[in-house]
Amino acid sequence: GLRSPHSVSLKPMRDALLALGDHPIFRRLSPWVGYFLASVVFTWPLVLHLDQALMGYPSIDSQDTLSLRGLVAELLLNPGDWPQSQDVYFPIGYPILLLTPNLLDHLTAAPLVWLLPFPLADNLWWLFILTLNGWAAHRLGRRVGESEGAAWLCGLAFLVSEPLLREANLSHAPQSMLFWAPLYLEAVLDLRDDRGSAKRAAIRAGIFLALAGLSYWYLAFFLVLSSLPLLWGIPLRNLSWTGGISAVLTAPFLLHQLVGWNSRPLTSRDIELAPASDVPESFSVIDEAHVFVTQHGSEPLWFLGGAPIDMSSQVSLVLLVAAGLGVRSSPHRWRLLGMAAVGATMVLGPYLR
């Protein structure tokens, strides 16, 4: 136990690291750095080939996303051609906005497309989107669990969830912009608990709900449906702010699509859908119109089997147990469990029917 006269105490270094960890700037930046590194790990070795390879695997959806991303960016540089893109069916052009009901992914990627070569621009956009998903869920985890441990658990669980990674692998850009959901739910919780200004929280919820709809309108629809247990009991005047702000922000972009619903190539009922492929024989008892949805649902015993990566909506049992334990002390535990029940019903819906 003799101490050398030349030994160096590690206590000052330890104290300095602890002080750094408590610094507000470090606390704000560490989630961004952490989820970016997690995104690099889960897309490895993409970061070594950012200018040579693409994330995910080749598919028709990947080609579609990449083509429209370049075409929308080019159209923004040539507003005089609006809405015709001269890069399709030249010299006549084609109104490509008929094929892009969700524009926010292309708008956010446009600056990278203008400044950087392909596929570097696309890969950086994807790494940023994955990081943003983790960061947003981190905020919600801290809000619900009221600890940094809960925040990191929620952020990592959301980032590596099969539905998110599935959509990223398929290059489904709008479907991967799920980060608006945790931010919306955080605002709704603030609204329920009357933290700060109720009006401000209601407006925040409306903005995030609108951005969810502009990213992928299905997301906004199912977000409202699944959050009904949380919304129940909130004063109508506050909910009217949320709904009003959301309607005002989305109307200029989505209203014309609703008006021309049956005339658009993607929503016209005159266009027959291609028959579903790789349909199990047991599906013969299901109406053909519901086969596709059933294929993308989950079986009641999903935890005993598996599903192809392009159809999987499974969530790890370990994460479900961790989430259940995490909400035990929350004053909103029954409402949060109600949300989970609504989500499970939607995923299992075709089988329950």
Side-chain angles (χ1 to χ4, degrees), residues 91-105:
I92 300 174
Y94 186 84
I96 61 166
L97 294 186
L98 289 178
L99 303 176
T100 51
N102 308 294
L103 271 176
L104 202 55
D105 59 311

Side-chain angles (χ1 to χ4, degrees), residues 221-245:
F221 175 77
F222 288 116
L223 192 53
V224 171
L225 187 61
S226 62
S227 64
L228 285 177
L230 268 184
L231 296 174
W232 187 265
I234 295 178
L236 189 58
R237 66 178 181 277
N238 292 334
L239 291 180
S240 64
W241 274 105
T242 299
I245 290 294

Side-chain angles (χ1 to χ4, degrees), residues 94-153:
Y94 186 84
I96 61 166
L97 294 186
L98 289 178
L99 303 176
T100 51
N102 308 294
L103 271 176
L104 202 55
D105 59 311
H106 298 313
L107 293 178
T108 54
L112 292 172
V113 174
W114 296 332
L115 297 173
L116 300 172
F118 175 83
L120 177 61
D122 192 68
N123 287 327
L124 290 180
W125 184 87
W126 274 108
L127 287 175
F128 174 71
I129 291 301
L130 291 176
T131 302
L132 197 52
N133 274 291
W135 171 81
H138 186 97
R139 288 182 59 99
L140 179 61
R142 183 192 295 126
R143 178 66 178 77
V144 174
E146 297 184 343
S147 71
E148 282 302 303
W152 284 103
L153 174 62

Side-chain angles (χ1 to χ4, degrees), residues 61-239:
D61 290 347
S62 175
Q63 296 177 37
D64 180 56
T65 299
L66 292 172
S67 299
L68 289 173
R69 178 157 294 175
L71 291 170
V72 170
E74 187 64 27
L75 189 60
L76 291 173
L77 291 178
N78 299 279
D81 295 338
W82 197 277
Q84 300 285 112
S85 172
Q86 302 303 316
D87 292 330
V88 181
Y89 299 133
F90 180 83
I92 300 174
Y94 186 84
I96 61 166
L97 294 186
L98 289 178
L99 303 176
T100 51
N102 308 294
L103 271 176
L104 202 55
D105 59 311
H106 298 313
L107 293 178
T108 54
L112 292 172
V113 174
W114 296 332
L115 297 173
L116 300 172
F118 175 83
L120 177 61
D122 192 68
N123 287 327
L124 290 180
W125 184 87
W126 274 108
L127 287 175
F128 174 71
I129 291 301
L130 291 176
T131 302
L132 197 52
N133 274 291
W135 171 81
H138 186 97
R139 288 182 59 99
L140 179 61
R142 183 192 295 126
R143 178 66 178 77
V144 174
E146 297 184 343
S147 71
E148 282 302 303
W152 284 103
L153 174 62
C154 186
L156 288 172
F158 194 71
L159 177 59
V160 303
S161 62
E162 279 200 28
L164 176 58
L165 295 185
R166 175 197 66 209
E167 300 301 342
N169 262 311
L170 291 169
S171 290
H172 288 173
Q175 293 93 317
S176 300
M177 299 176 73
L178 296 175
F179 41 80
W180 304 121
L183 296 175
Y184 160 80
L185 293 174
E186 181 190 18
V188 171
L189 286 172
D190 287 346
L191 184 57
R192 282 211 65 86
D193 292 344
D194 200 20
R195 289 196 179 184
S197 168
K199 180 179 176 181
R200 187 177 304 170
I203 291 175
R204 275 172 48 219
I207 291 173
F208 292 137
L209 183 60
L211 290 171
L214 293 175
S215 299
Y216 189 54
W217 69 269
Y218 281 114
L219 174 58
F221 175 77
F222 288 116
L223 192 53
V224 171
L225 187 61
S226 62
S227 64
L228 285 177
L230 268 184
L231 296 174
W232 187 265
I234 295 178
L236 189 58
R237 66 178 181 277
N238 292 334
L239 291 180

Side-chain angles (χ1 to χ4, degrees), residues 12 15 28 34 80 104 158 227 231-232 237 268 277 287 313 329 334:
D15 293 342
R28 288 180 180 276
L104 202 55
F158 194 71
S227 64
L231 296 174
W232 187 265
R237 66 178 181 277
S268 173
S277 58
D287 182 22
S313 297
S329 59
W334 293 114

